Amino acid sequence: HLEHAVTVAQTAPQLAARVSADARDALAALDTPENSAFTEYPSVRATTDAVQRALHTLGAATGAGAVRTAAHQVEEATAAFREALAEAPGRQAEARNTLASVTTRLGAVRTRSEGLAPAYSALLREFNAASSADLSGNEQQALLLLERAAEELDVARASLAAGRPEEALAQAGVVRAELARAEELVDAVTGRLATLRAVKENPESKVRDVRFRLRDAQHLAVQRGLTAEWGSVLDAQLNRIDRAVDALTGVHPDYWAYVKDLDAV
């Protein structure tokens, strides 16, 4: 153990010197003409700062164990810096392609959103008002999200034009998130209409599927010897199904309540 400790103590300064020299050589690459344009890229700036902090920690470390730990941190930070610097030249093209893709998606979501108002109107005409009460604000929210997405996309384009592709990529991520939320709002309305029309046309199909799955669960409980634990719980679902079916009455039945009750079973 003593010989091993002596070996570690002797090699720690050599390791520190080696990784420090390697880190400074890596940072020196920023001073070259081909890389000077990337110094303000957030990824390059962040990893540069990380290398410098790791070097400072290594310089202040005392004791073989602390020196080796700090040296490994310098190695990791240097590797991350080199990776960021290697990827920097491709950021411009990546951002350009990303913004083109986001622009296309924005147009597609706008086109889909045009079907939201007619779909909501059809819900009100064809079904109980309670079937769409929770969707009343979807159109306004979707339009607001699309407007914000367009504004963020303009900001991203300006960042790209100013030579800040990583900022443009980050802003494109915000646009995508807003478009995804807008799509959810649109799909909630059009999907609800499609679901309710299908159930209205053939309500027996929905309840038949649920009864089949309930019977399957009951058989499984019997096979596994779990009837004492699950038998009464599963039997109670038969009453829930019957209540859902019985509630489907009147001139404008609440098909959405019917769907939710059966889905819950």
Side-chain angles (χ1 to χ4, degrees):
H1 289 296
L2 181 59
E3 289 175 353
H4 175 70
V6 170
T7 301
V8 170
Q10 290 174 340
T11 59
Q14 299 171 3
L15 174 63
R18 177 176 61 79
V19 299
S20 296
D22 185 49
R24 291 190 175 92
D25 286 344
L27 292 178
L30 284 176
D31 296 330
T32 61
E34 62 269 22
N35 291 328
S36 60
F38 308 134
T39 55
E40 293 305 314
Y41 279 24
S43 62
V44 175
R45 188 168 62 247
T47 52
T48 300
D49 292 344
V51 172
Q52 291 172 340
R53 286 194 302 270
L55 285 171
H56 177 75
T57 300
L58 177 58
T62 57
V67 170
R68 289 179 67 84
T69 298
H72 290 312
Q73 291 174 345
V74 171
E75 281 186 311
E76 292 174 359
T78 303
F81 167 77
R82 283 200 167 104
E83 182 179 357
L85 190 59
E87 292 176 351
R91 293 299 191 197
Q92 193 79 10
E94 180 185 355
R96 188 165 51 250
N97 293 336
T98 298
L99 293 189
S101 174
V102 171
T103 300
T104 300
R105 185 177 177 188
L106 174 60
V109 178
R110 274 177 171 160
T111 299
R112 291 176 60 191
S113 70
E114 293 172 359
L116 191 156
Y120 186 71
S121 178
L123 281 170
L124 295 177
R125 287 196 316 271
E126 300 176 25
F127 300 99
N128 189 302
S131 298
S132 57
D134 59 317
L135 305 176
S136 60
N138 280 37
E139 181 181 10
Q140 183 177 1
Q141 293 178 48
L143 292 176
L144 179 61
L145 284 166
L146 288 172
E147 182 179 342
R148 279 169 27 192
E151 292 172 354
E152 288 288 342
L153 184 55
D154 287 339
V155 173
R157 288 172 179 147
S159 295
L160 179 60
R164 300 192 302 272
E166 290 191 336
E167 292 180 24
L169 286 167
Q171 288 150 354
V174 175
V175 175
R176 281 175 166 159
E178 290 175 338
L179 291 178
R181 178 60 183 142
E183 284 180 316
E184 291 176 359
L185 293 169
V186 173
D187 291 344
V189 176
T190 56
R192 180 78 56 85
L193 179 60
T195 297
L196 294 183
R197 281 175 171 172
V199 172
K200 181 180 180 180
E201 182 178 352
N202 188 6
E204 293 79 11
S205 176
K206 179 74 175 177
V207 73
R208 186 167 56 248
D209 291 342
V210 175
R211 289 188 190 279
F212 176 82
R213 294 186 64 177
L214 178 58
R215 285 195 300 271
D216 198 35
Q218 289 171 324
H219 291 156
L220 181 63
V222 171
Q223 292 168 6
R224 299 290 176 86
L226 298 173
T227 52
E229 181 180 358
W230 290 103
S232 59
V233 176
L234 294 173
D235 290 343
Q237 306 312 306
L238 289 170
N239 294 329
R240 294 182 67 185
I241 294 173
D242 291 339
R243 286 196 300 270
V245 173
D246 292 342
L248 205 63
T249 58
V251 179
H252 292 292
D254 192 347
Y255 288 103
W256 184 235
Y258 176 73
V259 169
K260 289 193 297 182
D261 288 343
L262 292 181
D263 284 344
V265 172

